[in-house]
Amino acid sequence: RQRQMCIRDSLYMKLLIKLFKFLVRRAGKPFHKAILRRLMLSKVHRPPMSISRLSRLQKGKLDKTIVVVSTVTDDERLLEVPKMNICALRFTSGAKQRILKAGGSVMTLDQLIVKNPLGANTVLLRGPLTREALSHFGKPAGLPGSHTRPYAPAKGRNSEAP
């Protein structure tokens, strides 16, 4: 079951949710529904995307605008940033500079709706939801059928030796 209302204090997020609720009601496009659903997610479920991952996923979609409902971060390991048109909730300063320097464009979700109200020629991407902390959630570690990772380092003879 998904959230019905925004629980954040950010005025920008509340206005974005209001805008996309209106678009879902009036236009009824799956693109608007998907973005509204992702806007309602908690920050844990909106993981950031690096420009290296975006450049890898962009191959073959050079003419389309990449839409990410999270933060776009810089990746210093990527030596050459390709020209990309990216729309996201926010950008880190380094990522924004490198994308603009490569000849690409950056925009926020409200700017995208002004430019392209129906979401044509866009690709909706999201970041990886897997993280180390998730391996500790679930049934208590040690119970039969539990695949939960314990917080203790190990069970061996020297596991707690200094």
Side-chain angles (χ1 to χ4, degrees):
R1 183 164 145 72
Q2 69 186 38
R3 286 185 180 168
Q4 300 297 316
M5 60 192 314
C6 176
I7 60 168
R8 282 187 279 307
D9 294 331
S10 168
L11 183 63
Y12 177 65
M13 287 294 286
K14 287 184 179 181
L15 288 172
L16 270 181
I17 288 173
K18 199 172 193 177
L19 169 70
F20 277 96
K21 276 186 178 179
F22 173 79
L23 288 171
V24 165
R25 191 172 65 243
R26 296 299 292 266
K29 296 281 183 190
F31 174 75
H32 299 133
K33 285 182 185 175
I35 289 185
L36 177 64
R37 187 170 43 83
R38 291 182 191 185
L39 281 171
M40 297 280 198
L41 294 175
S42 64
K43 192 169 182 180
V44 170
H45 293 100
R46 286 186 291 114
M49 291 270 287
S50 66
I51 54 175
S52 60
R53 182 180 289 265
L54 288 172
S55 66
R56 192 173 68 236
L57 295 172
Q58 181 217 10
K59 292 206 169 38
K61 305 174 184 83
L62 298 174
D63 57 336
K64 297 188 182 239
T65 302
I66 298 171
V67 180
V68 181
V69 187
S70 65
T71 306
V72 173
T73 58
D74 191 12
D75 192 354
E76 294 173 357
R77 297 171 296 180
L78 184 67
L79 300 176
E80 283 189 33
V81 178
K83 181 181 175 184
M84 296 186 277
N85 299 324
I86 303 177
C87 168
L89 269 180
R90 56 183 293 272
F91 296 87
T92 60
S93 58
K96 191 173 189 177
Q97 286 175 357
R98 290 186 71 187
I99 293 166
L100 293 174
K101 189 177 178 184
S105 67
V106 295
M107 63 182 103
T108 56
L109 290 170
D110 51 324
Q111 292 170 337
L112 174 74
I113 292 302
V114 170
K115 184 179 175 186
N116 187 357
L118 298 179
N121 287 330
T122 57
V123 179
L124 195 56
L125 298 177
R126 66 177 136 193
L129 280 175
T130 56
R131 54 194 187 103
E132 197 273 335
L134 293 177
S135 63
H136 299 288
F137 298 170
K139 272 189 191 177
L143 285 182
S146 168
H147 299 287
T148 308
R149 184 175 183 176
Y151 285 106
K155 279 186 170 180
R157 188 173 68 87
N158 287 327
S159 64
E160 292 190 20

Coordinates of all heavy atoms in Angstrom, one line a residue, residues 6 15 43 52 57 122 158 162:
C6 N 2.0 13.6 1.7 CA 3.4 13.9 1.9 C 3.6 14.1 3.4 O 2.8 14.8 4.0 CB 3.8 15.1 1.1 SG 5.5 15.6 1.4
L15 N 4.7 21.1 -3.0 CA 4.2 21.7 -4.3 C 4.3 20.8 -5.4 O 3.4 20.7 -6.3 CB 4.9 23.0 -4.6 CG 4.5 24.2 -3.6 CD1 5.4 25.4 -3.9 CD2 3.0 24.6 -3.8
K43 N 13.0 8.9 2.1 CA 14.3 9.1 1.5 C 15.1 7.8 1.3 O 15.9 7.7 0.4 CB 15.0 10.2 2.3 CG 16.3 10.7 1.7 CD 16.8 11.9 2.4 CE 18.0 12.4 1.6 NZ 18.6 13.5 2.3
S52 N 27.9 8.3 -13.3 CA 28.5 7.2 -14.0 C 27.4 6.1 -14.3 O 27.4 5.6 -15.4 CB 29.6 6.6 -13.2 OG 29.2 6.1 -11.9
L57 N 23.5 3.7 -18.2 CA 22.2 3.3 -18.5 C 21.6 4.2 -19.7 O 20.6 3.8 -20.3 CB 21.2 3.5 -17.3 CG 21.5 2.6 -16.1 CD1 20.7 3.0 -14.9 CD2 21.2 1.2 -16.5
T122 N 11.0 10.5 -22.7 CA 11.7 10.5 -21.4 C 12.0 9.1 -21.0 O 11.2 8.2 -21.4 CB 10.9 11.2 -20.3 OG1 9.6 10.6 -20.2 CG2 10.8 12.7 -20.5
N158 N 38.4 -16.9 17.4 CA 39.1 -15.6 17.7 C 38.3 -14.4 17.2 O 38.8 -13.4 16.8 CB 40.5 -15.6 16.9 CG 41.5 -16.5 17.6 OD1 41.4 -16.6 18.8 ND2 42.3 -17.1 16.8
P162 N 41.3 -9.1 20.3 CA 41.7 -7.7 19.9 C 42.7 -7.7 18.7 O 43.3 -8.5 18.3 CB 42.4 -7.1 21.1 CG 42.7 -8.3 22.0 CD 41.8 -9.4 21.6

